[in-house]
Amino acid sequence: MKKAMVVVIAVTVCAMVGVLYYIGGRQRFESAQDAADSITAGWNLGNTLESNGEWIGLYTDGTPEDYETAWGNAVTTPELIAAVRAAGFNAVRVPVTWHEHMDEQGNIDAEWLDRVQQVVDHVIAQDMYCVINVHHDAGGGWIRATPESYGQDSALVEALWRNIAEHFKDYGEKLIFEGFNEMLDKDGHWGGAGSPEEYKAHNDYNQLFVDTVRATGGNNARRNLMVQVYSGVCGEGAFENFVLPNDSAEGHLMIQVHCYDPQPFTWTSVDYTEPTDEWGSDDERAHIAQVFERLSELSEEHGVPVLVGECGADHKDNEETRKAYVEHFFGCAKENGIKCFWWDTGAMALFDREACAEKYPEIIDIIMKSCGSL
Protein backbone atom coordinates (compact mmCIF):
# COMPACT_ATOMS: atom_id res chain seq x y z
CA MET A 1 0.00 0.00 0.00
CA LYS A 2 2.76 2.41 0.97
CA LYS A 3 4.75 1.46 -2.15
CA ALA A 4 1.73 2.12 -4.34
CA MET A 5 1.25 5.52 -2.73
CA VAL A 6 4.90 6.38 -3.35
CA VAL A 7 4.53 5.42 -7.01
CA VAL A 8 1.39 7.56 -7.35
CA ILE A 9 3.09 10.50 -5.67
CA ALA A 10 6.16 10.11 -7.89
CA VAL A 11 4.06 9.96 -11.04
CA THR A 12 2.07 12.99 -9.90
CA VAL A 13 5.24 14.97 -9.18
CA CYS A 14 6.68 14.05 -12.58
CA ALA A 15 3.45 15.08 -14.26
CA MET A 16 3.48 18.40 -12.42
CA VAL A 17 7.08 19.00 -13.44
CA GLY A 18 6.13 18.17 -17.00
CA VAL A 19 3.30 20.67 -16.91
CA LEU A 20 5.62 23.31 -15.50
CA TYR A 21 8.36 22.58 -18.00
CA TYR A 22 6.18 22.38 -21.07
CA ILE A 23 3.71 25.13 -21.77
CA GLY A 24 1.54 24.76 -24.84
CA GLY A 25 3.82 21.98 -26.08
CA ARG A 26 6.88 24.21 -25.91
CA GLN A 27 9.94 23.80 -23.71
CA ARG A 28 10.17 26.39 -20.95
CA PHE A 29 13.80 27.46 -20.94
CA GLU A 30 15.56 28.37 -17.73
CA SER A 31 16.02 32.10 -17.27
CA ALA A 32 19.28 33.89 -17.96
CA GLN A 33 19.73 34.35 -14.23
CA ASP A 34 19.19 30.64 -13.58
CA ALA A 35 21.76 29.79 -16.24
CA ALA A 36 24.28 32.26 -14.81
CA ASP A 37 23.70 30.86 -11.33
CA SER A 38 24.31 27.33 -12.65
CA ILE A 39 27.65 28.19 -14.26
CA THR A 40 30.63 27.59 -11.99
CA ALA A 41 33.53 28.62 -14.20
CA GLY A 42 33.77 28.95 -17.96
CA TRP A 43 36.54 28.17 -20.44
CA ASN A 44 37.24 29.68 -23.87
CA LEU A 45 38.24 27.52 -26.83
CA GLY A 46 40.54 30.35 -27.88
CA ASN A 47 42.24 30.81 -31.26
CA THR A 48 40.43 27.89 -32.83
CA LEU A 49 37.16 28.29 -34.73
CA GLU A 50 37.67 32.06 -34.81
CA SER A 51 41.02 31.70 -36.63
CA ASN A 52 41.00 33.57 -39.92
CA GLY A 53 43.24 35.14 -42.56
CA GLU A 54 43.48 35.25 -46.33
CA TRP A 55 46.68 33.21 -46.19
CA ILE A 56 44.76 30.18 -44.93
CA GLY A 57 42.77 29.94 -48.13
CA LEU A 58 45.82 30.71 -50.27
CA TYR A 59 48.32 28.29 -48.75
CA THR A 60 46.17 25.42 -47.48
CA ASP A 61 43.26 23.41 -48.86
CA GLY A 62 40.94 25.68 -46.90
CA THR A 63 39.25 22.83 -45.04
CA PRO A 64 37.61 23.40 -41.65
CA GLU A 65 40.60 21.64 -40.08
CA ASP A 66 43.00 24.00 -41.85
CA TYR A 67 41.18 26.98 -40.34
CA GLU A 68 40.74 25.37 -36.93
CA THR A 69 44.47 24.70 -36.58
CA ALA A 70 45.77 27.82 -38.41
CA TRP A 71 46.63 29.72 -35.24
CA GLY A 72 48.56 26.89 -33.64
CA ASN A 73 45.98 24.84 -31.76
CA ALA A 74 45.03 21.22 -32.24
CA VAL A 75 41.76 19.95 -33.70
CA THR A 76 39.14 20.01 -30.96
CA THR A 77 38.24 16.51 -29.80
CA PRO A 78 35.61 15.09 -27.47
CA GLU A 79 38.50 14.01 -25.22
CA LEU A 80 39.68 17.61 -24.81
CA ILE A 81 36.22 18.84 -23.85
CA ALA A 82 35.86 15.89 -21.45
CA ALA A 83 39.14 16.92 -19.81
CA VAL A 84 37.89 20.49 -19.42
CA ARG A 85 34.71 19.15 -17.82
CA ALA A 86 36.64 16.82 -15.52
CA ALA A 87 38.70 19.79 -14.33
CA GLY A 88 35.51 21.45 -13.06
CA PHE A 89 34.52 23.88 -15.82
CA ASN A 90 30.87 23.56 -16.79
CA ALA A 91 30.63 26.13 -19.58
CA VAL A 92 32.62 26.57 -22.80
CA ARG A 93 32.65 29.68 -24.96
CA VAL A 94 33.33 28.75 -28.58
CA PRO A 95 34.38 31.85 -30.54
CA VAL A 96 33.58 31.54 -34.26
CA THR A 97 34.55 33.72 -37.23
CA TRP A 98 32.27 33.37 -40.22
CA HIS A 99 33.20 35.79 -43.00
CA GLU A 100 35.57 33.44 -44.83
CA HIS A 101 32.88 30.75 -44.77
CA MET A 102 29.84 32.66 -46.06
CA ASP A 103 28.61 34.14 -49.32
CA GLU A 104 27.33 37.65 -50.05
CA GLN A 105 23.84 36.64 -48.91
CA GLY A 106 25.01 35.41 -45.51
CA ASN A 107 24.67 31.72 -46.41
CA ILE A 108 27.23 29.70 -44.46
CA ASP A 109 29.35 26.99 -46.04
CA ALA A 110 27.75 23.70 -45.00
CA GLU A 111 31.06 22.02 -44.18
CA TRP A 112 32.05 24.86 -41.84
CA LEU A 113 28.67 24.95 -40.15
CA ASP A 114 28.80 21.20 -39.64
CA ARG A 115 32.19 21.55 -37.94
CA VAL A 116 30.89 24.26 -35.63
CA GLN A 117 27.99 21.97 -34.78
CA GLN A 118 30.35 19.09 -34.03
CA VAL A 119 32.23 21.20 -31.49
CA VAL A 120 28.96 22.41 -29.96
CA ASP A 121 27.88 18.78 -29.67
CA HIS A 122 31.15 17.85 -27.95
CA VAL A 123 30.38 20.47 -25.30
CA ILE A 124 26.72 19.66 -24.80
CA ALA A 125 27.49 15.93 -24.64
CA GLN A 126 29.37 16.76 -21.43
CA ASP A 127 26.25 18.50 -20.03
CA MET A 128 28.02 21.85 -20.22
CA TYR A 129 26.76 25.23 -21.30
CA CYS A 130 28.01 26.21 -24.76
CA VAL A 131 28.27 29.80 -26.01
CA ILE A 132 28.77 30.49 -29.72
CA ASN A 133 29.20 33.91 -31.23
CA VAL A 134 30.18 36.12 -34.16
CA HIS A 135 33.80 36.82 -33.23
CA HIS A 136 36.38 38.42 -35.54
CA ASP A 137 33.71 39.51 -37.98
CA ALA A 138 33.44 42.22 -35.33
CA GLY A 139 36.42 43.16 -33.13
CA GLY A 140 38.15 45.04 -35.92
CA GLY A 141 36.47 43.06 -38.71
CA TRP A 142 33.80 44.05 -41.22
CA ILE A 143 31.08 44.70 -38.64
CA ARG A 144 31.75 48.11 -37.11
CA ALA A 145 29.99 50.25 -34.52
CA THR A 146 29.26 53.03 -36.99
CA PRO A 147 26.09 54.37 -38.63
CA GLU A 148 27.73 53.69 -42.01
CA SER A 149 28.38 50.04 -41.19
CA TYR A 150 24.88 49.56 -39.87
CA GLY A 151 23.37 51.10 -43.00
CA GLN A 152 25.57 49.05 -45.32
CA ASP A 153 26.02 45.75 -43.49
CA SER A 154 23.03 45.20 -41.20
CA ALA A 155 21.14 43.17 -43.81
CA LEU A 156 24.08 40.79 -44.16
CA VAL A 157 24.48 40.57 -40.38
CA GLU A 158 20.80 39.77 -40.08
CA ALA A 159 21.11 37.03 -42.72
CA LEU A 160 24.17 35.56 -40.97
CA TRP A 161 22.48 35.39 -37.59
CA ARG A 162 19.27 34.06 -39.14
CA ASN A 163 21.23 31.19 -40.71
CA ILE A 164 23.07 30.40 -37.47
CA ALA A 165 19.87 30.56 -35.45
CA GLU A 166 17.89 28.43 -37.90
CA HIS A 167 20.58 25.75 -37.85
CA PHE A 168 20.57 25.48 -34.06
CA LYS A 169 16.91 26.32 -33.33
CA ASP A 170 16.12 22.85 -31.96
CA TYR A 171 18.99 22.86 -29.45
CA GLY A 172 18.05 23.09 -25.79
CA GLU A 173 18.80 25.62 -23.10
CA LYS A 174 22.46 24.68 -22.69
CA LEU A 175 23.24 26.47 -25.97
CA ILE A 176 23.59 30.25 -25.61
CA PHE A 177 24.08 32.71 -28.46
CA GLU A 178 26.39 35.73 -28.07
CA GLY A 179 25.82 38.50 -30.61
CA PHE A 180 29.19 40.10 -31.31
CA ASN A 181 32.69 40.05 -29.88
CA GLU A 182 34.42 43.35 -29.04
CA MET A 183 32.79 45.45 -31.74
CA LEU A 184 34.81 48.62 -32.41
CA ASP A 185 34.12 51.99 -34.00
CA LYS A 186 35.65 53.16 -37.28
CA ASP A 187 38.91 54.21 -35.60
CA GLY A 188 39.29 51.04 -33.55
CA HIS A 189 38.94 52.66 -30.13
CA TRP A 190 39.03 50.08 -27.33
CA GLY A 191 38.31 52.20 -24.27
CA GLY A 192 35.11 53.71 -25.63
CA ALA A 193 33.46 54.75 -28.88
CA GLY A 194 34.39 58.04 -30.46
CA SER A 195 30.89 59.47 -30.69
CA PRO A 196 27.29 59.02 -29.48
CA GLU A 197 26.35 57.88 -33.00
CA GLU A 198 28.83 55.03 -32.79
CA TYR A 199 27.48 53.92 -29.42
CA LYS A 200 24.01 53.98 -30.96
CA ALA A 201 25.16 51.84 -33.88
CA HIS A 202 26.55 49.31 -31.41
CA ASN A 203 23.25 49.24 -29.55
CA ASP A 204 21.36 48.93 -32.85
CA TYR A 205 23.42 45.87 -33.79
CA ASN A 206 22.63 44.29 -30.41
CA GLN A 207 18.93 44.91 -31.00
CA LEU A 208 19.17 43.46 -34.51
CA PHE A 209 20.81 40.33 -33.12
CA VAL A 210 18.06 39.78 -30.53
CA ASP A 211 15.24 40.47 -32.98
CA THR A 212 16.73 38.20 -35.65
CA VAL A 213 17.21 35.24 -33.32
CA ARG A 214 13.74 35.57 -31.80
CA ALA A 215 12.10 35.74 -35.25
CA THR A 216 13.41 32.26 -36.14
CA GLY A 217 11.09 30.73 -33.54
CA GLY A 218 11.39 27.26 -32.10
CA ASN A 219 13.64 27.14 -29.05
CA ASN A 220 15.19 30.42 -30.19
CA ALA A 221 12.06 32.21 -29.03
CA ARG A 222 13.24 31.68 -25.46
CA ARG A 223 16.95 30.92 -25.80
CA ASN A 224 19.27 32.84 -23.48
CA LEU A 225 21.23 35.48 -25.39
CA MET A 226 24.38 37.42 -24.49
CA VAL A 227 25.04 40.99 -25.59
CA GLN A 228 28.24 42.93 -25.01
CA VAL A 229 28.86 46.53 -24.06
CA TYR A 230 30.95 48.48 -26.57
CA SER A 231 34.24 46.60 -27.25
CA GLY A 232 33.51 44.41 -24.23
CA VAL A 233 35.46 46.88 -22.10
CA CYS A 234 35.01 47.37 -18.36
CA GLY A 235 34.70 51.15 -18.64
CA GLU A 236 32.22 53.80 -17.62
CA GLY A 237 31.81 55.16 -21.15
CA ALA A 238 30.78 51.74 -22.41
CA PHE A 239 28.51 51.15 -19.41
CA GLU A 240 26.79 54.55 -19.51
CA ASN A 241 26.10 54.36 -23.25
CA PHE A 242 24.92 50.74 -23.27
CA VAL A 243 21.24 50.13 -23.97
CA LEU A 244 19.83 46.72 -23.12
CA PRO A 245 17.88 45.46 -26.15
CA ASN A 246 14.13 45.10 -26.00
CA ASP A 247 13.29 41.41 -25.94
CA SER A 248 10.06 39.53 -26.57
CA ALA A 249 11.32 36.82 -24.18
CA GLU A 250 11.37 38.27 -20.69
CA GLY A 251 14.31 37.27 -18.51
CA HIS A 252 16.49 35.72 -21.22
CA LEU A 253 19.26 38.28 -21.74
CA MET A 254 22.78 38.46 -20.30
CA ILE A 255 25.46 41.13 -20.54
CA GLN A 256 29.05 40.14 -21.26
CA VAL A 257 32.23 42.13 -20.59
CA HIS A 258 35.92 41.24 -20.74
CA CYS A 259 38.55 41.92 -18.10
CA TYR A 260 42.30 41.39 -18.31
CA ASP A 261 43.17 43.98 -15.67
CA PRO A 262 45.95 44.87 -15.12
CA GLN A 263 47.17 44.20 -18.65
CA PRO A 264 50.88 44.84 -17.93
CA PHE A 265 50.68 41.83 -15.62
CA THR A 266 48.21 39.56 -17.43
CA TRP A 267 49.75 40.02 -20.90
CA THR A 268 53.28 39.29 -22.03
CA SER A 269 53.26 42.13 -24.54
CA VAL A 270 51.55 45.52 -24.20
CA ASP A 271 52.15 48.51 -26.44
CA TYR A 272 51.32 51.35 -24.05
CA THR A 273 53.53 50.49 -21.06
CA GLU A 274 56.13 48.02 -19.82
CA PRO A 275 54.93 44.50 -19.00
CA THR A 276 55.58 43.07 -15.56
CA ASP A 277 55.46 39.68 -13.89
CA GLU A 278 54.66 41.22 -10.49
CA TRP A 279 51.23 41.85 -9.00
CA GLY A 280 49.64 42.11 -5.57
CA SER A 281 49.87 45.62 -4.12
CA ASP A 282 47.01 46.96 -2.03
CA ASP A 283 46.02 49.27 -4.88
CA GLU A 284 46.04 46.44 -7.41
CA ARG A 285 43.89 44.26 -5.18
CA ALA A 286 41.52 47.12 -4.52
CA HIS A 287 41.16 47.76 -8.25
CA ILE A 288 40.06 44.19 -8.98
CA ALA A 289 37.56 44.35 -6.11
CA GLN A 290 36.17 47.61 -7.49
CA VAL A 291 35.81 46.14 -10.98
CA PHE A 292 33.57 43.38 -9.70
CA GLU A 293 31.60 45.69 -7.45
CA ARG A 294 30.91 47.84 -10.51
CA LEU A 295 29.86 44.80 -12.56
CA SER A 296 27.42 43.85 -9.81
CA GLU A 297 26.00 47.38 -10.00
CA LEU A 298 25.71 47.08 -13.79
CA SER A 299 23.73 43.87 -13.33
CA GLU A 300 21.37 45.59 -10.90
CA GLU A 301 20.97 48.60 -13.19
CA HIS A 302 19.72 46.46 -16.07
CA GLY A 303 18.13 43.64 -14.12
CA VAL A 304 20.09 40.93 -15.95
CA PRO A 305 23.17 38.85 -15.10
CA VAL A 306 26.61 40.12 -16.10
CA LEU A 307 29.38 37.66 -16.98
CA VAL A 308 33.07 38.11 -17.73
CA GLY A 309 33.42 36.34 -21.07
CA GLU A 310 37.22 36.61 -21.19
CA CYS A 311 39.87 36.82 -18.50
CA GLY A 312 43.24 35.27 -17.78
CA ALA A 313 46.92 35.85 -17.10
CA ASP A 314 49.93 34.74 -19.12
CA HIS A 315 52.42 32.28 -17.69
CA LYS A 316 55.71 34.18 -17.18
CA ASP A 317 57.55 31.77 -14.88
CA ASN A 318 55.78 33.56 -12.03
CA GLU A 319 53.38 30.89 -10.85
CA GLU A 320 53.13 31.97 -7.21
CA THR A 321 52.19 35.50 -8.22
CA ARG A 322 49.84 34.24 -10.91
CA LYS A 323 48.13 31.95 -8.40
CA ALA A 324 47.64 34.87 -6.02
CA TYR A 325 46.14 36.94 -8.83
CA VAL A 326 43.76 34.17 -9.93
CA GLU A 327 42.63 33.52 -6.36
CA HIS A 328 41.85 37.21 -5.81
CA PHE A 329 40.23 37.73 -9.23
CA PHE A 330 37.89 34.74 -9.02
CA GLY A 331 37.27 35.33 -5.32
CA CYS A 332 36.09 38.89 -5.99
CA ALA A 333 33.94 37.55 -8.82
CA LYS A 334 32.27 35.05 -6.50
CA GLU A 335 31.66 37.68 -3.83
CA ASN A 336 29.75 39.75 -6.37
CA GLY A 337 27.92 36.91 -8.11
CA ILE A 338 29.83 37.27 -11.39
CA LYS A 339 30.80 34.21 -13.42
CA CYS A 340 34.01 34.23 -15.49
CA PHE A 341 35.35 32.43 -18.59
CA TRP A 342 39.12 31.88 -18.78
CA TRP A 343 40.71 32.66 -22.17
CA ASP A 344 42.73 29.55 -23.05
CA THR A 345 45.45 29.70 -25.68
CA GLY A 346 49.16 30.45 -25.94
CA ALA A 347 50.73 31.65 -22.69
CA MET A 348 47.31 31.69 -21.01
CA ALA A 349 46.55 28.07 -21.88
CA LEU A 350 45.64 25.93 -18.90
CA PHE A 351 45.34 22.78 -21.02
CA ASP A 352 47.63 20.84 -23.33
CA ARG A 353 45.19 20.28 -26.14
CA GLU A 354 47.22 17.58 -27.86
CA ALA A 355 47.45 15.51 -24.68
CA CYS A 356 43.96 16.55 -23.45
CA ALA A 357 45.54 17.20 -20.07
CA GLU A 358 45.90 20.02 -17.57
CA LYS A 359 49.07 22.10 -17.89
CA TYR A 360 48.61 24.08 -14.68
CA PRO A 361 46.45 22.02 -12.33
CA GLU A 362 47.19 24.28 -9.35
CA ILE A 363 45.78 27.30 -11.21
CA ILE A 364 42.70 25.30 -12.17
CA ASP A 365 42.21 24.13 -8.57
CA ILE A 366 42.41 27.73 -7.35
CA ILE A 367 39.78 28.76 -9.90
CA MET A 368 37.46 25.99 -8.74
CA LYS A 369 38.02 26.64 -5.03
CA SER A 370 37.50 30.36 -5.52
CA CYS A 371 34.27 29.65 -7.37
CA GLY A 372 33.12 27.35 -4.59
CA SER A 373 32.99 24.25 -6.78
CA LEU A 374 35.64 22.33 -4.81
Side-chain angles (χ1 to χ4, degrees):
M1 181 66 177
K2 289 182 179 180
K3 183 177 181 180
M5 289 179 65
V6 170
V7 171
V8 170
I9 291 170
V11 171
T12 302
V13 169
C14 289
M16 291 174 66
V17 170
V19 170
L20 290 172
Y21 203 69
Y22 285 88
I23 301 173
R26 299 187 307 171
Q27 186 181 19
R28 182 183 65 82
F29 272 34
E30 67 180 351
S31 69
Q33 188 62 61
D34 286 342
D37 290 344
S38 297
I39 292 172
T40 53
W43 182 83
N44 275 275
L45 186 67
N47 287 11
T48 305
L49 295 184
E50 83 275 27
S51 302
N52 65 96
E54 290 184 5
W55 66 270
I56 304 173
L58 290 173
Y59 299 108
T60 73
D61 293 331
T63 66
E65 181 175 334
D66 290 326
Y67 278 91
E68 186 172 354
T69 59
W71 287 3
N73 283 310
V75 169
T76 307
T77 63
E79 292 77 15
L80 170 63
I81 302 302
V84 174
R85 184 70 180 97
F89 296 93
N90 73 338
V92 175
R93 182 172 177 254
V94 180
V96 185
T97 299
W98 304 89
H99 71 270
E100 293 179 29
H101 311 282
M102 54 186 276
D103 63 21
E104 294 179 355
Q105 287 73 47
N107 299 307
I108 303 164
D109 177 73
E111 193 175 11
W112 180 250
L113 194 52
D114 286 347
R115 180 54 186 156
V116 174
Q117 181 179 343
Q118 287 174 352
V119 175
V120 170
D121 289 345
H122 294 341
V123 176
I124 292 180
Q126 293 293 325
D127 194 30
M128 302 168 79
Y129 289 92
C130 184
V131 181
I132 60 172
N133 72 358
V134 168
H135 203 80
H136 287 303
D137 304 271
W142 60 278
I143 306 172
R144 291 278 180 162
T146 68
E148 295 79 13
S149 173
Y150 192 83
Q152 174 181 314
D153 301 317
S154 59
L156 183 56
V157 170
E158 180 180 358
L160 172 60
W161 260 117
R162 183 171 61 251
N163 282 309
I164 297 169
E166 287 282 0
H167 189 84
F168 290 100
K169 69 190 297 181
D170 294 329
Y171 276 63
E173 63 191 7
K174 288 297 180 74
L175 179 61
I176 298 169
F177 294 156
E178 170 199 329
F180 310 98
N181 177 72
E182 297 179 350
M183 190 185 298
L184 303 177
D185 63 12
K186 64 182 178 181
D187 295 319
H189 293 131
W190 284 99
S195 70
E197 292 76 19
E198 288 169 323
Y199 279 120
K200 181 181 183 302
H202 184 273
N203 292 326
D204 288 344
Y205 268 124
N206 276 340
Q207 186 67 62
L208 178 66
F209 158 64
V210 172
D211 291 344
T212 301
V213 172
R214 297 294 182 229
T216 60
N219 288 341
N220 292 333
R222 298 161 307 284
R223 186 175 308 286
N224 289 324
L225 306 179
M226 283 185 181
V227 291
Q228 285 191 9
V229 303
Y230 173 84
S231 80
V233 69
C234 284
E236 284 305 314
F239 294 168
E240 292 170 359
N241 288 279
F242 172 78
V243 176
L244 188 74
N246 294 317
D247 189 8
S248 58
E250 184 177 357
H252 289 284
L253 292 182
M254 306 173 172
I255 297 172
Q256 184 188 133
V257 302
H258 296 169
C259 183
Y260 293 100
D261 289 357
Q263 292 171 11
F265 170 74
T266 61
W267 292 353
T268 301
S269 176
V270 288
D271 58 10
Y272 62 89
T273 187
E274 289 295 319
T276 178
D277 58 4
E278 295 297 328
W279 177 88
S281 70
D282 290 344
D283 286 346
E284 288 170 329
R285 288 178 172 274
H287 172 74
I288 297 298
Q290 290 165 4
V291 165
F292 283 103
E293 289 168 5
R294 183 65 184 95
L295 294 181
S296 178
E297 293 171 358
L298 184 69
S299 177
E300 292 179 7
E301 288 168 14
H302 292 283
V304 302
V306 172
L307 298 92
V308 175
E310 291 184 17
C311 65
D314 281 349
H315 166 72
K316 302 178 183 179
D317 292 321
N318 60 340
E319 285 313 282
E320 292 307 310
T321 304
R322 192 162 72 134
K323 287 190 285 188
Y325 170 80
V326 170
E327 182 177 24
H328 185 67
F329 188 97
F330 279 84
C332 289
K334 185 177 188 301
E335 287 177 11
N336 289 278
I338 308 296
K339 304 304 172 67
C340 302
F341 286 65
W342 184 275
W343 182 259
D344 192 289
T345 193
M348 284 186 188
L350 298 179
F351 287 84
D352 180 331
R353 298 197 196 176
E354 290 279 2
C356 300
E358 299 176 22
K359 291 180 67 175
Y360 299 103
E362 292 183 356
I363 296 285
I364 294 173
D365 284 349
I366 289 170
I367 291 173
M368 297 309 154
K369 289 176 181 176
S370 300
C371 292
S373 62
L374 284 181

